[in-house]
Amino acid sequence: MNKFIKSFFIPVLLTLISCVPLVTQTKTKEFNGTNAYDLIIKQLSFGPKFPGSPGHQKEVEWIEEQLLKLGWQVKRQYFNYKGLTLTNLIAHKDSSNNPIILGTHFDTRRFADHDPIIQNRNLHVPGANDGASGVAVLLELARILADDKNHFCWLVFFDREDQGNTSDWDWIQGSSYFVSTLEVNPKSAIIIDMIGDRQLNIYSEGFSNKTLQVDIWREAFELGFGEHFISENKYFLIDDHKPFIDKGIPSVLLIDFDYPYWHTTQDTLDKISSESLKMVGSTLLKWIYIQ
């Protein structure tokens, strides 16, 4: 995840049965937080996933493989930035001109520049929450929605969201490129980022579409998650929802930006809760089903 502009105050089946695809462990059509948690474990095994790293390429190939196994059509969208070839992954099952877009970034930050230990600030961020959690929730949703013929969704995995202020790179390059090349008119775009925190607190984000926020927060409340979805604008954030907002496409960012391990070497698996993943995934699924 990125840079916060201003706060509102300025105011073991997997290892034993290798032939079973990772994202199809559970046959139920309910969101399974344990499945999503296991998907984070898998991503962390790739190592750092900043653009140009071996882990980054492994992540692209793995996400694509999981989606194809589930029957999704997948397109690699290549683009160049500062002499580096980058990749968005776009998954869909239909040719709708008005899809709902569910998006997240998959890259992890190259430098842990917010680490409290100065000597760690040139190390890579593991990205259990900031990167892997959003991917895990989208892949678990991909499993559930694979056979759904009533809801037209695209799943988009954005590259190069989280490298701003590293050298002369800027933020949100993958989503910016994606939106600039859109040839359809999305009904809405829901972006998730950093939603695995054990102490989950998702505040309303200031740039997000208010109508969509109210609708999604209502679904969370009805599921009993109201304590974790807080109807208070606390931050205005530059994240992958912003290019959609700027284009006039209704978009909402779901993020827990009160995560104390943001851009540190401590963004690790022990900070993640399968229950938090389930709350976010179940809320999105309930909202999708009423569209």
Side-chain angles (χ1 to χ4, degrees):
M1 171 25 249
N2 323 297
K3 357 25 10 244
F4 118 88
I5 291 193
K6 56 182 179 181
S7 81
F8 204 71
F9 309 123
I10 104 168
V12 207
L13 271 179
L14 230 171
T15 54
L16 295 178
I17 310 175
S18 60
C19 62
V20 177
L22 184 61
V23 294
T24 57
Q25 297 174 58
T26 303
K27 299 303 183 183
T28 174
K29 290 303 183 182
E30 294 181 358
F31 191 95
N32 188 294
T34 301
N35 279 3
Y37 187 86
D38 289 344
L39 292 165
I40 293 178
I41 295 174
K42 182 64 177 178
Q43 291 176 80
L44 293 178
S45 74
F46 300 147
K49 293 175 285 298
F50 58 88
S53 67
H56 180 275
Q57 184 61 30
K58 290 178 183 177
E59 179 85 353
V60 170
E61 294 171 355
W62 175 76
I63 293 173
E64 181 180 58
E65 178 185 13
Q66 301 310 304
L67 292 165
L68 290 172
K69 285 179 180 178
L70 291 168
W72 291 76
Q73 301 175 53
V74 184
K75 173 185 176 182
R76 293 193 187 192
Q77 182 183 54
Y78 295 109
F79 63 103
N80 293 310
Y81 185 78
K82 305 285 186 182
L84 194 64
T85 299
L86 304 170
T87 311
N88 292 328
L89 289 169
I90 306 164
H92 61 89
K93 299 183 280 81
D94 53 74
S95 56
S96 172
N97 286 322
N98 303 107
I100 295 168
I101 290 176
L102 305 174
T104 192
H105 75 92
F106 66 85
D107 62 312
T108 57
R109 188 160 175 80
R110 182 165 188 162
F111 300 117
D113 49 330
H114 280 243
D115 202 285
I117 301 174
I118 293 176
Q119 296 93 317
N120 288 348
R121 293 182 182 174
N122 285 327
L123 301 179
H124 310 310
V125 175
N129 195 27
D130 193 0
S133 69
V135 172
V137 168
L138 252 61
L139 286 178
E140 174 62 4
L141 287 172
R143 177 187 68 81
I144 298 167
L145 296 171
D147 299 323
D148 188 329
K149 302 184 185 305
N150 299 315
H151 303 90
F152 303 111
C153 296
W154 286 16
L155 309 178
V156 186
F157 301 81
F158 298 115
D159 203 349
R160 237 248 49 140
E161 183 270 351
D162 209 13
Q163 310 307 316
N165 297 337
T166 59
S167 186
D168 59 344
W169 285 33
D170 206 350
W171 308 97
I172 61 170
Q173 290 306 304
S175 55
S176 296
Y177 183 79
F178 174 81
V179 171
S180 74
T181 61
L182 266 177
E183 296 180 353
V184 298
N185 182 27
K187 180 179 180 181
S188 57
I190 314 301
I191 306 300
I192 58 174
D193 192 359
M194 292 170 57
I195 40 70
D197 185 4
R198 286 181 173 273
Q199 307 298 323
L200 188 67
N201 291 298
I202 299 177
Y203 286 86
S204 302
E205 189 276 332
F207 290 126
S208 297
N209 180 277
K210 303 312 173 193
T211 300
L212 276 178
Q213 271 184 342
V214 169
D215 290 346
I216 294 171
W217 264 241
R218 181 187 300 116
E219 301 308 317
F221 180 83
E222 291 182 357
L223 287 169
F225 308 147
E227 177 184 355
H228 303 278
F229 284 71
I230 304 163
S231 298
E232 172 190 333
N233 278 6
K234 190 173 182 181
Y235 302 109
F236 289 76
L237 300 170
I238 297 298
D239 207 316
D240 287 324
H241 67 311
K242 192 62 166 54
F244 294 95
I245 293 289
D246 293 343
K247 183 92 170 176
I249 299 167
S251 184
V252 166
L253 173 66
L254 274 63
I255 188 171
D256 179 353
F257 198 62
D258 288 343
Y259 182 61
Y261 311 106
W262 176 65
H263 289 181
T264 74
T265 60
Q266 298 304 304
D267 183 5
T268 47
L269 187 65
D270 58 305
K271 313 307 190 305
I272 302 299
S273 165
S274 62
E275 286 302 311
S276 296
L277 301 170
K278 182 176 181 178
M279 283 190 279
V280 173
S282 298
T283 297
L284 289 176
L285 191 60
K286 190 172 187 293
W287 176 80
I288 290 167
Y289 281 163
I290 64 172
Q291 301 307 301

